[in-house]
Amino acid sequence: MVTPFRGDGSIDEQALVQLVQWQISSGIHWLVACGTTAETPTLNDEEWLRVLRIVTETADGRVPVWAGCTDNSTRRAEERTRLASQIPGITAILTASPYYNKPTQQGQFQHFSAVASATQLPVVLYTVPSRTGTNLKPAAVLRLIDSAPNIAGIKESSGNLAQVGELATRAPRSFQIFSGDDVIALGTVSVGVAGVVSVASNEIPREMSSMMQAAISNDWPTA
């Protein structure tokens, strides 16, 4: 979800409530609050928490709500994860590879392991090399699945269908892969993703939800 702002740079709370209501009534299956599409790099800590609370209170249990808890400092990512986990209605943590730092595969393993240890909620990993400068490869993901039982899925934005397919083939069935790229969302369904964390859904939620539901149901003409 985007975070609506007023002209003075403050959060437009009424617009945020309306956006949540519209998304749910349009048939989306879950909400992601405070991902990077929400412009979290521009939110201070109080605003970040306020957005999470508005989204969860408005959703009121009708759909799951994931909290974005990304930071290039492992300690801050842990702190945000602990704070988000205490908010009623948050059902999972979404966290990306540390940006700018370009950690190795082992460095990412240590980072994500620490974040997963900071919560009992399901953790959804997020690899987006175009934004962070580093890719989380399937071998590291599989190690994380084995070492942290609450690592439950990944938002895959590598743009590499072969990588997505490898992970879908090798990961346990309980581990869910979500496309993070609207442009190739349909293509990733063909290699085993469970859905899409969509930016376009902010504008066209009903269409995106219907398209993905059709594809996952193997109704490709409709999709």
Side-chain angles (χ1 to χ4, degrees), residues 175-194:
F175 184 80
Q176 292 192 307
I177 304 170
F178 302 92
S179 173
D181 189 338
D182 290 314
V183 175
I184 61 170
L186 282 183
T188 57
V189 171
S190 67
V191 294
V193 306

Side-chain angles (χ1 to χ4, degrees), residues 48-49 52-53 56 65-69 77-94 115-123 150:
W48 172 77
L49 279 170
L52 291 180
R53 290 190 174 113
T56 53
V65 178
W66 298 1
C69 296
E78 289 178 277
E79 290 172 356
R80 287 202 157 192
T81 296
R82 278 190 286 268
L83 285 171
S85 299
Q86 295 169 11
I87 298 174
I90 295 296
T91 59
I93 302 297
L94 177 66
V115 172
S117 297
T119 183
Q120 294 183 337
L121 292 176
V123 171
N150 62 327

Side-chain angles (χ1 to χ4, degrees), residues 142-163:
L142 293 170
R143 285 183 63 204
L144 284 162
I145 295 169
D146 286 340
S147 67
N150 62 327
I151 290 181
I154 187 169
K155 179 183 175 186
E156 234 293 351
S157 299
S158 67
N160 185 336
L161 285 178
Q163 176 170 301

